[in-house]
Every structure is written in structure tokens, then in C-alpha cells.
Amino acid sequence: MNRYIILLTCIIIFACGKSSNPSGEYPTDEIPTPKEEVITFKLESLEGVGYFNAVLKFTVTAGNKNIRSRGVVYSTKESPTKEDELVLAASTTGSGSFEVQLDRLSEGKTYYVRPFAEKTNGIFFYGDQQKFETVSYPEPTVYLDSLTFLNQQTFETYWKMFYPWGTDHNGSARMYEGQVSLDGAGMLKIKADRTEVWEGYSTADPWLRIFYHSGAIHAKQQILVNDERPYWVVSGDFKVPTMVGSWPAFWITGAWTWPPEIDIMEFKGNNTNWQNTVTGPDWQNTSWQTTKTVVENAGSWHNYKLIMYKTSATHVAAELYIDGQKKATHTGDFVGKPFWLIINMQMEGASGGHASGPQSAEMQARNIYLAAYDVIP
């Protein structure tokens, strides 16, 4: 019996030690995978590089099979990967060419870019690194900044009291120097106080009776869009009253004639901000472009901004913003026409009240900014 067991064991050992593939072929799980064809790229063009964008065109020169996606990866650091910024091709062709548009860049930065292609099996191939630099903003000439309200000395260096033409305008307030004050930390206040003392009538249309002492200031630097200064930025932060009878404003008006005028911030007795652009050959023939925006909590800080730039030999575009959001683009034939910049608190008139306005009202201003560029960014 033991002799038969030994013989059977030997047969089993012999069978296990012998190849199960006498033909010499590999078992299925041992067949070597063919080497993946490498994808190579060629940069065809790098164009449209601006402040925030660029357009790159590549061609896949080898390995243009079984590609699931293609595009670029980019970073401000060298050797970017898909873990950095990744943008898919905006368009492709059957020849393997593709175009990528980058539009979330920062101005004045160096970017490193590598084309990529992903095979249907998930393998990524990267091409050679490319490098480019976005356009830097030109340096502006800054005429006013947050320091001009820091103290009396800086204020008097850059600003003058009242309107450029005097103390009266189109409401029932007459401007007095004592109604304007600085808080010592870069903020200006203008307060309007009601008075029953007879002071006559305003010397400006519509010649209302004077019921208020208030304040107005204007910048010494005029604004002039021309070939030497084709692009201007005017901006400021304000807290304003919105009760009936209060009429705060931040605006520019013609230094030679009226019109022109652009109202950057103007509240007329409620929480609707008026942004107006006035054009026309003279004061009797005017055309108004008006954009109205309800500003919640106008008594809290909000930013109001104008960007004005030359679009032709005679005309400008006036982009108007509130808290960084563009509200309108107006146009006007303002090239070569100087402007005054004014901050004031007028009362009644277009804001209502009519001899029954509030006892007092106050507006606050800070971070006034005025700058010009010698090129259009």
C-alpha cells in the first residue's frame, strides 16, 4: 500500500514541476504591456498677452492617439502640474492643434506654462515649459490720496474751501468754513445746521432762501482728459444722510462752462444714489444720462468711483462704480475740457424739505483718490 502512495506522490510532483505552456507563450497575466507612446508638443504661438490674459496655441507632434483631454497647467512657480492651475483647450483640430485662453491672471506677473494631454487610460503627459510675463499697469500720477485729510496742513495743500465760484449753489444752504472739520485720522466731516436768521436768498438758480449753514470743498488740481492724460480715476469713501432735505454730493463740473458735469455720488433725500452725466452746448441745451442705484445703509461706508478715459479725439467713456461694481458707462464730449472736483452738502432744493428740512445733517468722507495715467491701461 505504501508503495502505491509513493508512486502517486512522484507523479504529482513531476506534473507540478513541468511547464503548463509547452509552446513557450506567456500566461495571460505575464504578457508585457506595450510601451505607451510618448506625447510631444510644439508651441505654435503665444499672443494676446495683456494685464490679465494670454492665448497659447500648441500642436501635438507625436502620440496623437487615444487622447481624452488636452490643455495647459500654469503657475507663478516653475514646473507646474495638474495640482496647480489647469485650463482645458478652448478649441482643437483633427491635426492635433489646440488653443488655450488664460483669463484669470494678475498684471505684471511671470507665469510658467506646460501643455498637457491625458490619454483615455488616465496617463498624463507634459510638454516643455514656456514662460511669459503679463503687462504691468503704468504708474499713475497721483494728485490726491488718503493723506490729504490727515491734518490742516495737508488739507490746505490740496483743497480749497467752498465751491470754485463761491458759497452759494442750487439749494437753501450757504457754505461756511466752520462747517468743515477733520477728525485727525484722515476723515473729513461736513455738517449742515438749520438757521432761522434771515440771510437773504441764494445767489444761484433757483435762488432759494438761505435756511442752512453747510460746507463745500473743491480740489486745487483740475481734471483734464487729453493726449497726455487720457485716463483718470476719481474715487472716495462716504457716509451720507438720506433724510428728506439732505443733499450730499461728490462730483466733477466744468471749470470753464456748464455743462459738462458728472455726478459720482448724489443722494436727494432718500437712499437712491444718482449718477448723472450732463452734456450739451450750453446750460439752456443739455442732455442727461442718469443711473439710479438704491444703496442699502448709505449711512455706512461705501465707495463711489469714476473712471474716465479718452475714446476718440472728442469723446470719453465715464464708467461709474459703487463698492467696486460697475453701474453704468456714460459718454460725453469732454476731451480737452477741464473739471473741478467738489465735495459738498447742499440742502433742500431737489432733495425736498422746502423750508422744513431737518435741524442738522452730516456727511463724512475719507480715502479720496485722484490719479491720471499717461496711457490707457
Side-chain angles (χ1 to χ4, degrees), residues 69 72 80 114 212 217 220 222 249 253 257 269 274 341 359:
S69 64
V72 301
R114 297 167 72 192
Y212 288 89
I217 64 172
K220 293 181 178 180
Q222 293 183 354
T253 190
T257 60
W274 294 58
L341 173 62
Q359 287 300 307

mmCIF file of all heavy atoms in Angstrom, residues 69 72 80 114 212 217 220 222 249 253 257 269 274 341 359:
data_model
loop_
_atom_site.group_PDB
_atom_site.id
_atom_site.type_symbol
_atom_site.label_atom_id
_atom_site.label_comp_id
_atom_site.label_asym_id
_atom_site.label_seq_id
_atom_site.Cartn_x
_atom_site.Cartn_y
_atom_site.Cartn_z
ATOM 1 N N SER A 69 -8.229 64.456 -23.208
ATOM 2 C CA SER A 69 -8.292 65.906 -22.992
ATOM 3 C C SER A 69 -6.910 66.493 -23.169
ATOM 4 O O SER A 69 -5.899 65.794 -23.058
ATOM 5 C CB SER A 69 -8.832 66.222 -21.595
ATOM 6 O OG SER A 69 -7.949 65.739 -20.592
ATOM 7 N N VAL A 72 -3.452 73.222 -20.734
ATOM 8 C CA VAL A 72 -2.204 73.648 -20.114
ATOM 9 C C VAL A 72 -2.373 73.667 -18.604
ATOM 10 O O VAL A 72 -3.487 73.802 -18.080
ATOM 11 C CB VAL A 72 -1.753 75.045 -20.587
ATOM 12 C CG1 VAL A 72 -1.553 75.086 -22.090
ATOM 13 C CG2 VAL A 72 -2.708 76.137 -20.126
ATOM 14 N N PRO A 80 4.971 73.664 -13.307
ATOM 15 C CA PRO A 80 3.604 73.442 -12.819
ATOM 16 C C PRO A 80 3.087 72.063 -13.205
ATOM 17 O O PRO A 80 3.548 71.463 -14.188
ATOM 18 C CB PRO A 80 2.797 74.540 -13.520
ATOM 19 C CG PRO A 80 3.566 74.819 -14.774
ATOM 20 C CD PRO A 80 5.010 74.658 -14.391
ATOM 21 N N ARG A 114 2.905 74.733 -18.992
ATOM 22 C CA ARG A 114 3.263 73.477 -19.669
ATOM 23 C C ARG A 114 2.006 72.916 -20.328
ATOM 24 O O ARG A 114 0.948 72.824 -19.687
ATOM 25 C CB ARG A 114 3.804 72.457 -18.681
ATOM 26 C CG ARG A 114 5.093 72.878 -17.990
ATOM 27 C CD ARG A 114 5.397 71.994 -16.808
ATOM 28 N NE ARG A 114 5.825 70.669 -17.186
ATOM 29 C CZ ARG A 114 5.931 69.635 -16.338
ATOM 30 N NH1 ARG A 114 5.590 69.808 -15.068
ATOM 31 N NH2 ARG A 114 6.333 68.471 -16.750
ATOM 32 N N TYR A 212 -29.778 127.217 5.863
ATOM 33 C CA TYR A 212 -28.735 126.340 6.434
ATOM 34 C C TYR A 212 -27.354 126.958 6.287
ATOM 35 O O TYR A 212 -27.055 127.666 5.311
ATOM 36 C CB TYR A 212 -28.731 124.974 5.740
ATOM 37 C CG TYR A 212 -29.912 124.102 6.089
ATOM 38 C CD1 TYR A 212 -31.087 124.167 5.340
ATOM 39 C CD2 TYR A 212 -29.860 123.231 7.172
ATOM 40 C CE1 TYR A 212 -32.176 123.372 5.661
ATOM 41 C CE2 TYR A 212 -30.941 122.440 7.502
ATOM 42 C CZ TYR A 212 -32.103 122.519 6.745
ATOM 43 O OH TYR A 212 -33.188 121.734 7.081
ATOM 44 N N ILE A 217 -16.089 121.843 -0.369
ATOM 45 C CA ILE A 217 -14.674 121.982 -0.688
ATOM 46 C C ILE A 217 -14.457 121.574 -2.141
ATOM 47 O O ILE A 217 -15.259 120.831 -2.718
ATOM 48 C CB ILE A 217 -13.773 121.132 0.236
ATOM 49 C CG1 ILE A 217 -14.059 119.630 0.030
ATOM 50 C CG2 ILE A 217 -13.962 121.516 1.698
ATOM 51 C CD1 ILE A 217 -13.071 118.713 0.760
ATOM 52 N N LYS A 220 -7.760 121.570 -5.600
ATOM 53 C CA LYS A 220 -6.974 122.530 -6.375
ATOM 54 C C LYS A 220 -6.605 121.959 -7.749
ATOM 55 O O LYS A 220 -6.527 122.692 -8.730
ATOM 56 C CB LYS A 220 -5.704 122.907 -5.612
ATOM 57 C CG LYS A 220 -5.952 123.696 -4.342
ATOM 58 C CD LYS A 220 -4.651 124.060 -3.656
ATOM 59 C CE LYS A 220 -4.880 124.886 -2.395
ATOM 60 N NZ LYS A 220 -3.611 125.248 -1.722
ATOM 61 N N GLN A 222 -7.181 120.324 -11.143
ATOM 62 C CA GLN A 222 -8.268 120.104 -12.091
ATOM 63 C C GLN A 222 -8.072 118.789 -12.824
ATOM 64 O O GLN A 222 -6.971 118.232 -12.884
ATOM 65 C CB GLN A 222 -8.350 121.258 -13.095
ATOM 66 C CG GLN A 222 -8.766 122.572 -12.476
ATOM 67 C CD GLN A 222 -8.920 123.682 -13.508
ATOM 68 O OE1 GLN A 222 -8.614 123.510 -14.685
ATOM 69 N NE2 GLN A 222 -9.409 124.830 -13.064
ATOM 70 N N ALA A 249 -23.111 115.345 -2.032
ATOM 71 C CA ALA A 249 -22.670 115.059 -3.399
ATOM 72 C C ALA A 249 -21.148 115.000 -3.497
ATOM 73 O O ALA A 249 -20.427 115.673 -2.747
ATOM 74 C CB ALA A 249 -23.212 116.107 -4.360
ATOM 75 N N THR A 253 -17.394 119.082 -12.238
ATOM 76 C CA THR A 253 -18.150 120.008 -13.079
ATOM 77 C C THR A 253 -17.190 120.877 -13.868
ATOM 78 O O THR A 253 -16.038 121.086 -13.461
ATOM 79 C CB THR A 253 -19.084 120.878 -12.227
ATOM 80 O OG1 THR A 253 -19.977 121.607 -13.076
ATOM 81 C CG2 THR A 253 -18.306 121.853 -11.359
ATOM 82 N N THR A 257 -17.100 126.161 -18.392
ATOM 83 C CA THR A 257 -18.510 126.342 -18.700
ATOM 84 C C THR A 257 -19.304 125.221 -18.056
ATOM 85 O O THR A 257 -18.741 124.234 -17.567
ATOM 86 C CB THR A 257 -18.759 126.296 -20.220
ATOM 87 O OG1 THR A 257 -18.338 125.012 -20.726
ATOM 88 C CG2 THR A 257 -18.004 127.393 -20.943
ATOM 89 N N GLY A 269 -32.367 113.131 -0.568
ATOM 90 C CA GLY A 269 -33.410 112.943 0.419
ATOM 91 C C GLY A 269 -33.898 111.526 0.598
ATOM 92 O O GLY A 269 -34.910 111.301 1.273
ATOM 93 N N TRP A 274 -27.799 108.919 -7.267
ATOM 94 C CA TRP A 274 -27.904 109.373 -8.650
ATOM 95 C C TRP A 274 -26.502 109.538 -9.219
ATOM 96 O O TRP A 274 -25.664 110.234 -8.635
ATOM 97 C CB TRP A 274 -28.633 110.705 -8.726
ATOM 98 C CG TRP A 274 -30.074 110.678 -8.320
ATOM 99 C CD1 TRP A 274 -30.596 110.275 -7.114
ATOM 100 C CD2 TRP A 274 -31.195 111.081 -9.116
ATOM 101 N NE1 TRP A 274 -31.957 110.392 -7.110
ATOM 102 C CE2 TRP A 274 -32.361 110.898 -8.330
ATOM 103 C CE3 TRP A 274 -31.339 111.602 -10.402
ATOM 104 C CZ2 TRP A 274 -33.627 111.196 -8.796
ATOM 105 C CZ3 TRP A 274 -32.597 111.904 -10.872
ATOM 106 C CH2 TRP A 274 -33.739 111.706 -10.075
ATOM 107 N N LEU A 341 -13.214 119.137 -9.053
ATOM 108 C CA LEU A 341 -13.709 118.054 -8.208
ATOM 109 C C LEU A 341 -14.267 118.668 -6.928
ATOM 110 O O LEU A 341 -13.559 119.413 -6.237
ATOM 111 C CB LEU A 341 -12.598 117.065 -7.880
ATOM 112 C CG LEU A 341 -12.924 115.965 -6.861
ATOM 113 C CD1 LEU A 341 -14.055 115.069 -7.361
ATOM 114 C CD2 LEU A 341 -11.687 115.142 -6.532
ATOM 115 N N GLN A 359 -33.123 119.586 11.256
ATOM 116 C CA GLN A 359 -32.356 120.559 12.019
ATOM 117 C C GLN A 359 -30.871 120.486 11.686
ATOM 118 O O GLN A 359 -30.179 121.503 11.698
ATOM 119 C CB GLN A 359 -32.570 120.341 13.520
ATOM 120 C CG GLN A 359 -33.942 120.774 14.010
ATOM 121 C CD GLN A 359 -34.199 122.254 13.754
ATOM 122 O OE1 GLN A 359 -33.392 123.110 14.144
ATOM 123 N NE2 GLN A 359 -35.302 122.552 13.099
#
